[in-house]
Amino acid sequence: MTDKTKFDNMSIVTALIHVIKQSLNSHLSDEFWQNCETHLAYLRTQLGLTNIQIVFVSMLIERNYVMSWSDFALYLDITNFEARTHANELDELVKKGWLTISDNIMRDDKGFELVPEAEKALINNQVFVPEAPIASADEDSAEDVDDDDNSHNYDYDDNYDNTTQEGNLSILKSYTEIQEKPLFFNPAEQKQVRHLTNLLSPKKFSSIQHRLQAQKMRKGFACLFYGGPGTGKTETVLQIARQTGRDIMQVDIAGLRSRLVGESLKNIRNVFNSYRELCDISDVTPILFFNEADGVFNKRTTRIQQYCDKEENAMQNVILQEMEDFDGILIATTNLTCNLDKAFERRFLYKIEFNKPETEVKAKIWSSMLKKLSKKDALHLATHFDFSGGQIENIARKRTVDYILSGRYASLDEIETYCRSEAFDCKTEHHHIAGFTA
């Protein structure tokens, strides 16, 4: 039988689905390899990967999140040691540009993730061809730069340290201090976050800014993340900063306001001046981060009755003007878009709404945060409790505390008890605003 006959009616998608189904709890046994022989042979000719590399890629497609050695071992029903014997194969996938690799601080383990371009190609039944081989995550971040974004060299002895800045109005956080954390989004949010992360990669961001400037357009990027509490807005900012190698200058919202006349205006100007100075001494443009920004980006008062009302309006006008002239990267988050002044909406180039996760996404969050939770139980909890990611994290923390105290993991009934205590009725009002535009 010729290869052509053998591969009739076979496609990348159908072959991967076969491998995904057969590999679950397979122990990588001889029977598994025999059952997948034809499909693996087809995928080898299409993708140029080895058999075991195809198996790992298929697992990453199926799980659709960062997987550690223990995750691979659990899926295949083999020991962690057996999984790690294939480390060279996965390192090769990283070098070829198929995977990204990072340290999973939460579990003292390595995490692997399929690059978005590879996932998109395979799902669309297409061959993935990496743009260029990459040696490692560190080398990639070092090479993926141009004259604007090279490396991080700060002279903290001048005006900054890595904790607080002038007047304690902001905190400077290095991207190297940000722990990697897998995030799970609904499809719409995932597409938008990936697009924005791609835009803010060093090479592309600098190139886009140069082109905007050449066309006499404003080159600053202001982004608004809005939605209910616990939907991942703040963590998304941190992970974007980590992935793009950008430090964060986080504004102390409460510290901006002062009882002294004129001091609040001075504070907000100092924040933007400090950010510009930070940009001047940074090789990679940092992110200016306003968390819970409705505290300062709020509506201007039309009925001015006291001097503080006048100063509040003046403060909004200063921020609006600073955003108009802004050349860097500003990201603001809010739970209460109803409090935002309409004038701010136009100044945000990208706006992403974070909704509560859909059932399938919630099931992934449950599985990620509660180890040893079966897929069936994760889906049960996702179906019966309409929780945000932040609420699920609360449950995971309670379960961990009880495990530390008792030495055993809580049963499903006990987890449901946690959930019922978490599920008090708390609604956050926010209105929909003009959304993400690519």
Side-chain angles (χ1 to χ4, degrees), residues 144-159:
D144 191 24
V145 295
D146 59 13
D147 55 350
D148 176 62
D149 289 297
N150 268 312
S151 59
H152 292 253
N153 295 315
Y154 299 112
D155 186 359
Y156 289 120
D157 291 336
D158 273 347
N159 301 307

Side-chain angles (χ1 to χ4, degrees), residues 57 61 97-99 114-123 126 128:
V57 166
I61 291 176
W98 278 79
L99 308 182
L114 201 62
V115 299
E117 295 82 6
E119 180 184 8
K120 181 179 179 181
L122 298 177
I123 288 175
Q126 298 173 353
F128 170 60

Side-chain angles (χ1 to χ4, degrees), residues 81-132:
F81 177 76
E82 288 176 276
R84 290 176 185 272
T85 61
H86 302 293
N88 289 340
E89 298 279 359
L90 266 72
D91 287 343
E92 187 65 27
L93 285 174
V94 174
K95 291 177 182 178
K96 287 181 177 179
W98 278 79
L99 308 182
T100 55
I101 185 173
S102 59
D103 292 328
N104 192 324
I105 305 299
M106 295 295 289
R107 288 179 287 181
D108 192 23
D109 201 355
K110 277 186 176 179
F112 297 89
E113 184 174 22
L114 201 62
V115 299
E117 295 82 6
E119 180 184 8
K120 181 179 179 181
L122 298 177
I123 288 175
N124 287 288
N125 212 32
Q126 298 173 353
V127 175
F128 170 60
V129 180
E131 292 184 4

